[in-house]
Amino acid sequence: MVTIKKNIYWVGGVDWNIRDFHGYTTEEGSSYNAYLIIDEKITLIDTVKGYLYEEMLSRISEIIDPAKIDNIISLHTEMDHSGALPEIYKVAKNAKIYASPQGVIGLKKHYPELKEIATCEEGSTLNTGKYTFTFHLAQMLHWPDNMAAYLGEEKILFSNDAFGQHIASSVHFDDMYSEGMFFRQAMKYYANIVQCYNERVVAFAKKAVMPHDIEIICPSHGIIIRKYTKEIIAKYIEWATNTVKKKALVVYDSMWESTDKLARQIQRGLEDSGVETSLCDLKYNHISDIMTDVLDSAAIIVGSPTLNSNMLPNVAAFLCYLKGLAPVKRIGMAFGSFGWNGQGHKQVHSILSELKEWDVSLEPLGVKYIPTEEELAMVYQKGKSIASLIENTVK
Ligand code: FEO
């Protein structure tokens, strides 16, 4: 039994073996966090992925007879949290379901058998006896229907996908888990799921986080936060406001190692100028991991050779993913080797130029066939030029 506070329990399911969450690598697995709150009226917040229903049911049954659940609050329609809702609803026959306005629409479309769903508006409340939940709509964090619930009497924010991390663990609290791993997974989660909604995060923080005294954050994935509550809130604000470090990410694919040579020269020029760098060959690094580095990098330097008059497919996939997650206000530069026409790095430059408020003033850098010593020296200097731009941009 996982007790968060007296009468408040984690009753979720642990997805130990999941390694791919629609294209996002989940090397630490994940969990789907459901919460049970015992009061005069008994409340279940969220459920789990369908296949983990029995696990959730057994955890609930350790505490109460599941038939006694009075309220089921669905903070989010996505099936990792609502998948077991129809099953638990068959057991908790008298339960009333609550969801946001978009959540009501979403749940009815996903599960037509759920007939009655009450709508929670921004700031509306649900009293269960000695406890009152206050609802805050969290539109586009990361679906239109997301919602959070604040339990003022216990200073707990049930934040749903916000503040989540994909972590499977037999311990459920941040003070019992690796600090480094917790923050790295929270950052990866933000970079891959929340990043494109930065402005929404700031708006959400203003209405649902800042006005409340929050001791514990209960997200819908991963570890419950009670030690690093202030720190993770500060990190969210930092990430949401595009706060970057004097750091550059060099990301590329290569065919015959010429573009690889260019990448390494750029990286060395940056490093020798005192800029923190990451070098990622797309053949060996997953785009969802690279995105974690994008989150706090001031410069994103992207390289591709030319294949069949195009950039390499790995680079195209990275740029497509990057464009979707829409980081703003970065320095971008393209580079690559080529044999005859050299379209690859020019295409990269063209896509980087489309990104919002990106500085792509550095000319794309192309080198024919294998770079000479002189060309490598020139590319090294280009790394130094990028470093100067970073130095002038990041204060
Ligand atoms: Fe964790 Fe958007 O579901």
Side-chain angles (χ1 to χ4, degrees):
M1 190 181 301
V2 181
T3 306
I4 299 166
K5 276 192 163 187
K6 190 179 173 207
N7 298 323
I8 301 172
Y9 304 92
W10 175 87
V11 292
V14 180
D15 204 344
W16 293 98
N17 295 314
I18 187 169
R19 291 293 178 269
D20 182 312
F21 202 101
H22 31 68
Y24 167 159
T25 54
T26 48
E27 58 279 359
E28 300 298 328
S30 193
S31 70
Y32 314 109
N33 296 340
Y35 299 97
L36 190 70
I37 296 94
I38 309 298
D39 199 359
E40 287 166 34
K41 298 280 186 187
I42 295 171
T43 302
L44 176 67
I45 297 184
D46 282 330
T47 69
V48 293
K49 238 183 199 177
Y51 93 95
L52 288 169
Y53 166 67
E54 294 293 340
E55 180 177 336
M56 180 186 76
L57 188 68
S58 78
R59 291 185 192 279
I60 295 171
S61 302
E62 281 181 65
I63 302 160
I64 48 128
D65 173 358
K68 292 184 176 169
I69 294 171
D70 299 287
N71 305 313
I72 302 174
I73 299 172
S74 171
L75 296 177
H76 184 24
T77 307
E78 195 166 9
M79 291 84 90
D80 48 338
H81 309 297
S82 70
L85 179 53
E87 288 303 312
I88 192 71
Y89 191 54
K90 284 181 200 161
V91 176
K93 289 185 172 56
N94 299 315
K96 189 167 179 183
I97 302 173
Y98 296 83
S100 70
Q102 285 297 322
V104 172
I105 294 166
L107 287 176
K108 284 187 175 170
K109 194 75 202 298
H110 281 70
Y111 313 109
E113 65 269 39
L114 304 177
K115 298 295 178 205
E116 297 235 352
I117 306 171
T119 304
C120 305
E121 301 288 352
E122 171 59 37
S124 65
T125 58
L126 173 66
N127 181 269
T128 59
K130 64 178 186 290
Y131 291 144
T132 300
F133 294 93
T134 303
F135 298 111
H136 293 290
L137 304 185
Q139 296 105 325
M140 299 318 297
L141 292 184
H142 62 129
W143 276 24
D145 61 284
N146 283 86
M147 180 171 83
Y150 178 66
L151 183 55
E153 290 81 2
E154 298 292 350
K155 301 179 180 176
I156 298 177
L157 181 70
F158 297 94
S159 59
N160 193 254
D161 277 334
F163 304 108
Q165 339 88 43
H166 281 310
I167 293 172
S169 172
S170 61
V171 298
H172 298 278
F173 297 96
D174 57 351
D175 49 11
M176 302 162 82
Y177 191 77
S178 154
E179 177 187 346
M181 189 84 83
F182 164 74
F183 278 104
R184 183 69 185 170
Q185 288 299 332
M187 187 176 177
K188 181 172 181 179
Y189 190 96
Y190 190 97
N192 284 277
I193 293 179
V194 186
Q195 184 173 193
C196 47
Y197 305 111
N198 280 347
E199 288 170 13
R200 301 278 190 160
V201 173
V202 174
F204 175 72
K206 280 183 186 161
K207 68 181 180 183
V209 178
M210 302 311 178
H212 295 308
D213 185 4
I214 300 170
E215 282 181 1
I216 301 174
I217 298 175
C218 291
S220 59
H221 293 288
I223 301 292
I224 295 164
I225 305 154
R226 65 185 178 190
K227 180 178 179 185
Y228 299 114
T229 307
K230 284 189 173 57
E231 288 83 353
I232 195 68
I233 291 170
K235 277 284 169 201
Y236 258 58
I237 298 300
E238 192 179 295
W239 295 330
T241 51
N242 298 299
T243 309
V244 292
K245 297 200 282 187
K246 290 183 181 177
K247 175 177 166 185
L249 167 66
V250 182
V251 52
Y252 66 99
D253 197 357
S254 193
M255 290 165 68
W256 288 103
E257 298 182 3
S258 289
T259 300
D260 180 83
K261 285 188 178 116
L262 304 181
R264 287 172 193 278
Q265 286 300 311
I266 292 169
Q267 189 274 334
R268 238 196 70 212
L270 283 156
E271 183 183 308
D272 289 352
S273 307
V275 172
E276 181 183 340
T277 54
S278 288
L279 182 92
C280 296
D281 183 334
L282 282 155
K283 278 193 285 297
Y284 310 113
N285 295 277
H286 194 270
I287 52 176
S288 62
D289 286 315
I290 297 173
M291 211 48 64
T292 315
D293 274 317
V294 166
L295 192 59
D296 64 354
S297 291
I300 319 296
I301 313 304
V302 185
S304 178
T306 300
L307 175 72
N308 302 329
S309 307
N310 273 292
M311 68 181 107
L312 285 187
N314 268 346
V315 180
F318 167 72
L319 289 173
C320 174
Y321 196 56
L322 181 77
K323 209 171 156 183
L325 286 165
V328 301
K329 296 182 185 168
R330 301 300 202 276
I331 295 161
M333 197 198 83
F335 68 97
S337 89
F338 59 93
W340 38 106
N341 287 332
Q343 297 96 331
H345 63 284
K346 291 176 192 159
Q347 289 173 355
V348 172
H349 176 75
S350 166
I351 292 174
L352 294 180
S353 306
E354 292 170 20
L355 299 173
K356 195 176 165 194
E357 295 182 63
W358 279 49
D359 178 350
V360 288
S361 57
L362 291 167
E363 284 294 308
L365 190 160
V367 171
K368 196 169 178 74
Y369 292 126
I370 295 169
T372 62
E373 286 304 315
E374 292 73 26
E375 284 168 330
L376 288 175
M378 178 272 290
V379 175
Y380 174 81
Q381 288 305 325
K382 197 81 168 183
K384 295 215 142 203
S385 303
I386 300 165
S388 298
L389 203 49
I390 293 172
E391 198 63 43
N392 293 334
T393 309
V394 183
K395 299 299 169 200

